[in-house]
Structure formats: C-alpha cells, structure tokens
Amino acid sequence: ESIATVTVGAGGTTTITFNDIPQTYKNLHIRVLGRSTGAYTYSSLYVRPNSVSTTRYSYHSLYGDGTSAATAGRGTAGGDTSWIAQNISGDTATANNFGSVIVDILDYANTNKYKTVRTLGGFDANGSGEQGFFSGLWMSTAAVTSIDLIAASGNWTADSQFALYGIA
C-alpha cells in the first residue's frame, strides 16, 4: 500500500524524510528515482532510520559496471552513520539521467531484533554506469518510525522522486 510520495521541486533539497510511518506492515519498500547536484558522476544514497546518525550501521555491497568484474565491499558497524544504499547519478553524469534504487527494510516494526535492509539499483553514465546490490544492518531494536533519504554529495535535484510503500 502506498504510504507517501515526494517529488523534489525547484532548488532541490538535501534530505527527504518520511515521518510517522504506520507500524502496521511487515516490511517497508521505497522506490527512488534520483539525481544529486554533487560534482561527480555519482553520489551515494544514504538511508537513515529515525534520524539516528550514531555509528551502528554496517553493509555489504556487490556492484559492477557491465565491462569489468564485479566489485565487493563492506563497511563495519561502528564506522558508518547511515546505511549506504546505492549510488545514483551525480551532476557530471549524462544530462537528465536519474539513478533508480529499490530499498526494502525488513521487519521494521519488530522491537525484538536488529533491522536489516536490502537495495538494488544503479545509474547510467553514457555506458559507464553502475548496477549494484547492497544489504545492511542497523544494530538497534527500535521500530522504524521515520526514514531520511540523503544525497551524500550536493542536493537532490528537481524532479527526483521518492515513494514509500507498506508491505503486508
């Protein structure tokens, strides 16, 4: 079920926040069609539940560019201040090209376990883009009641779109 949608207006914004998330679903599903104003080919999409920026996040990543072997990575709990969800198009990527990302937050309302996330997405940079899969852990048993979606460099550009869904 659709919970909320946001389309960024002129001037952009650094953070998209979904507040007052109902606690009645099993999982959350977020769809992002975004581009940042950061002066790079790409920018990371950070996902931060409940605006918590303490270092209690970790992630695993697997991504490739279609021409070379896939690259794997990880970030350990204690070093990251949000989930690194995926890379999206930046200001120097192909004009008017937006990255797309799907974010699933599993058992977000369950207060008896840590929260996990999985993401799938990518962007095109005129043949040199990237596709990737990330998974992550937030070492907190708190229910997720809000979500911040942050462009790691610059702002979200106008016409970037975000949709939050509840999955039964």
Side-chain angles (χ1 to χ4, degrees):
E1 293 182 27
S2 177
I3 298 172
T5 59
V6 173
T7 299
V8 176
T13 187
T14 302
T15 304
I16 299 297
T17 300
F18 292 115
N19 283 312
D20 303 318
I21 296 172
Q23 300 294 291
T24 55
Y25 302 101
K26 178 73 173 163
N27 303 311
L28 295 175
H29 180 83
I30 303 167
R31 293 183 180 207
V32 175
L33 185 63
R35 182 179 176 97
S36 91
T37 61
Y40 304 98
T41 303
Y42 65 88
S43 176
S44 294
L45 161 63
Y46 293 157
V47 178
R48 187 174 291 156
N50 301 347
S51 297
V52 174
S53 61
T54 56
T55 55
R56 302 198 38 90
Y57 298 91
S58 61
Y59 71 91
H60 291 97
S61 63
L62 179 64
Y63 54 94
D65 61 13
T67 60
S68 58
T71 303
R74 67 176 176 83
T76 58
D80 294 307
T81 59
S82 59
W83 282 316
I84 300 174
Q86 186 62 45
N87 291 326
I88 50 95
S89 299
D91 193 51
T92 63
T94 305
N96 300 314
N97 189 346
F98 287 69
S100 60
V101 181
I102 295 172
V103 178
D104 291 315
I105 302 174
L106 310 175
D107 288 331
Y108 74 101
N110 187 332
T111 58
N112 294 312
K113 61 190 267 188
Y114 291 159
K115 304 304 173 279
T116 56
V117 65
R118 65 181 175 214
T119 68
L120 178 65
F123 66 94
D124 180 42
N126 200 19
S128 64
E130 177 180 286
Q131 308 79 39
F133 174 77
F134 285 60
S135 63
L137 173 72
W138 177 35
M139 293 192 307
S140 173
T141 58
V144 175
T145 58
S146 70
I147 298 170
D148 298 330
L149 302 169
I150 303 160
S153 65
N155 290 330
W156 293 110
T157 63
D159 298 324
S160 292
Q161 299 176 11
F162 306 83
L164 173 66
Y165 299 90
I167 306 296

